Amino acid sequence: MVKDKLIFNGNEKQVFSTDDPCQVIFRYKDVTTAFHGVKRARFNGKGVLTSQISALLLGYLNENGVDTHFLRTLPDEREQLCRMIEIIPLEVVFHNRIAGGLATKLGVEDGYKPENTILDLCYNNDELGDPLINRDQAVALHLATYAELDEMYDIVRRSGQLLTELLHKAGIELVDAKFEFGRAADTGAIIISDELSPDTCRMWDEETGERLDKDRFRLDLGEVTANYGKVLERLKTALGIED
Ligand code: C5P
């Protein structure tokens, strides 16, 4: 596998083509952004941590029957080999608790725990601020078919459950998680794409309630990489991985 051209240069990640048309390399940057790019900073080592956490979470889903774009980690610790996809510009956010933007929108206390889980469908469109969208609107814009939306919801319910259980073993509560999707270039199947890490999921320490995720940056709580490091170490222990 040979790294080829830069095909996407995002705020927090770069994607490179390879000599295999069905495989790409994801490179995680140290940059972090919030509030649609309005707030921005660099944290040395953050890219290595988000890459490694993402590899463990996506790899865990692969092993448990949910296909994702992740194939394997690479010698450069901030890079991973992934399946090439056709992007579906939709996000599904899974909520075990109502926190952040959703708490503000619904006027409930941050961290309110409902009896059910909540799934939100959003249009992944920076200019529009990733607004909520419903199924009929998504189909009207030809973003996905009804059958694909059913599949995405099913994938999110199964993944949300699997990740909640895995993180619980690590003493971490999964508060919410954002999932993105694509159609695999080789099979056309709907698979999870993009990362799963404290940058895209809220994770709270089960005992202390301490935030271990991007809210440390959003809310200026400090110690961003130290807390991402905690997530990685605890996940490794829960998965029985030794350094
Ligand atoms: O912004 P909001 O509070 O609705 O975010 C819900 C979850 O989705 C959080 O875990 C957040 O980190 C993630 N998210 C994301 N990228 C976005 C919006 C939300 O990763 N563009």
Side-chain angles (χ1 to χ4, degrees):
M1 184 273 306
V2 179
K3 191 169 171 182
D4 195 12
K5 293 191 192 70
L6 178 67
I7 54 175
F8 170 79
N9 195 7
N11 282 325
E12 290 163 315
K13 264 158 295 177
Q14 292 175 319
V15 183
F16 295 85
S17 59
T18 69
D19 54 345
D20 182 332
C22 291
Q23 296 184 353
V24 293
I25 292 174
F26 254 56
R27 184 176 175 83
Y28 288 69
K29 296 183 181 178
D30 283 345
V31 172
T32 195
T33 60
F35 310 120
H36 304 289
V38 172
K39 189 169 175 177
R40 187 183 177 94
R42 174 182 294 271
F43 296 100
N44 284 339
K46 192 216 67 149
V48 169
L49 291 168
T50 46
S51 177
Q52 293 188 348
I53 294 167
S54 208
L56 293 181
L57 296 180
L58 292 169
Y60 183 77
L61 292 181
N62 283 339
E63 283 161 19
N64 285 279
V66 180
D67 286 344
T68 78
H69 76 157
F70 173 74
L71 290 170
R72 62 181 164 87
T73 53
L74 293 172
D76 183 329
E77 288 184 307
R78 64 177 69 239
E79 291 188 346
Q80 47 192 246
L81 189 66
C82 295
R83 295 163 70 182
M84 169 76 102
I85 51 132
E86 178 201 350
I87 292 172
I88 298 175
L90 290 169
E91 303 173 346
V92 181
V93 186
F94 172 94
H95 303 263
N96 276 323
R97 285 186 188 262
I98 298 179
L102 187 59
T104 307
K105 181 181 137 187
L106 298 181
V108 298
E109 61 169 304
D110 191 68
Y112 172 78
K113 187 152 175 45
E115 283 160 26
N116 56 338
T117 50
I118 299 167
L119 267 51
D120 279 336
L121 181 66
C122 300
Y123 183 14
N124 192 349
N125 182 316
D126 284 343
E127 277 174 29
L128 300 177
D130 302 336
L132 268 179
I133 189 170
N134 69 29
R135 285 161 54 89
D136 296 330
Q137 293 163 358
V139 172
L141 296 188
H142 301 293
L143 306 178
T145 65
Y146 285 110
E148 286 177 331
L149 288 166
D150 285 342
E151 208 175 329
M152 287 161 55
Y153 270 67
D154 179 57
I155 290 170
V156 170
R157 286 197 193 284
R158 285 189 290 137
S159 307
Q161 182 71 29
L162 283 164
L163 295 177
T164 300
E165 288 163 6
L166 171 63
L167 286 161
H168 174 58
K169 282 190 202 147
I172 298 170
E173 180 175 347
L174 179 68
V175 172
D176 57 30
K178 182 205 65 164
F179 295 89
E180 295 192 17
F181 302 88
R183 300 177 188 92
D186 44 4
T187 62
I190 302 262
I191 58 174
I192 292 178
S193 63
D194 209 4
E195 71 179 295
L196 284 173
S197 78
D199 270 0
T200 61
C201 305
R202 282 195 175 87
M203 299 177 182
W204 292 357
D205 185 304
E206 270 183 358
E207 268 189 20
T208 63
E210 202 180 4
R211 293 167 194 256
L212 310 172
D213 55 68
K214 198 191 249 189
D215 275 348
R216 301 211 69 88
F217 171 60
R218 292 190 190 98
L219 307 174
D220 294 320
L221 300 175
E223 300 190 322
V224 175
T225 47
N227 281 284
Y228 284 28
K230 253 188 229 172
V231 172
L232 179 61
E233 288 316 310
R234 290 204 206 169
L235 261 180
K236 281 186 182 167
T237 305
L239 289 164
I241 298 169
E242 286 173 22
D243 280 321

